[in-house]
Amino acid sequence: LRKSPWGGMIQAPATTLTGTVAGAAIYAIPTTQYGWVQTHGVGPALSDATTIIAGSAVASPSGTAGCVTLGVAGLPNVGYAMRAAATGKVIPVQFQID
């Protein structure tokens, strides 16, 4: 037996990642509970303080913990925006984490 590599996941911080991006949760999961994390397919994501263009890559971490930002060099892409978004809006994202 061995420990699951996905045990002990934390929310993506606002600055430097502490590990690889494992998935996207549709709500904040308390540390004392279990939850569901999506790794592929269409799902919701909260945009940070950037304007996201439909079809553009989205990445993590952003300037806000748990959010996605417009994909730029040096950040790991987690998927593609399916709709344009202004700051702080939930948008559909085609996740491609796995």
Side-chain angles (χ1 to χ4, degrees):
L1 297 178
R2 63 183 174 148
K3 185 177 176 180
S4 170
W6 308 117
M9 287 189 302
I10 62 168
Q11 176 177 309
T15 56
T16 305
L17 289 176
T18 56
T20 60
V21 177
I26 58 172
Y27 64 92
I29 303 168
T31 56
T32 57
Q33 296 180 4
Y34 296 98
W36 177 79
V37 178
Q38 182 172 353
T39 61
H40 200 91
V42 178
L46 181 62
S47 66
D48 68 353
T50 58
T51 299
I52 297 175
I53 302 162
S56 64
V58 292
S60 180
S62 71
T64 307
C67 292
V68 295
T69 190
L70 184 62
V72 295
L75 292 180
N77 288 340
V78 296
Y80 296 90
M82 297 180 70
R83 190 176 72 196
T87 301
K89 299 293 181 184
V90 176
I91 59 168
V93 170
Q94 173 66 44
F95 288 108
Q96 296 178 340
I97 299 170
D98 59 350

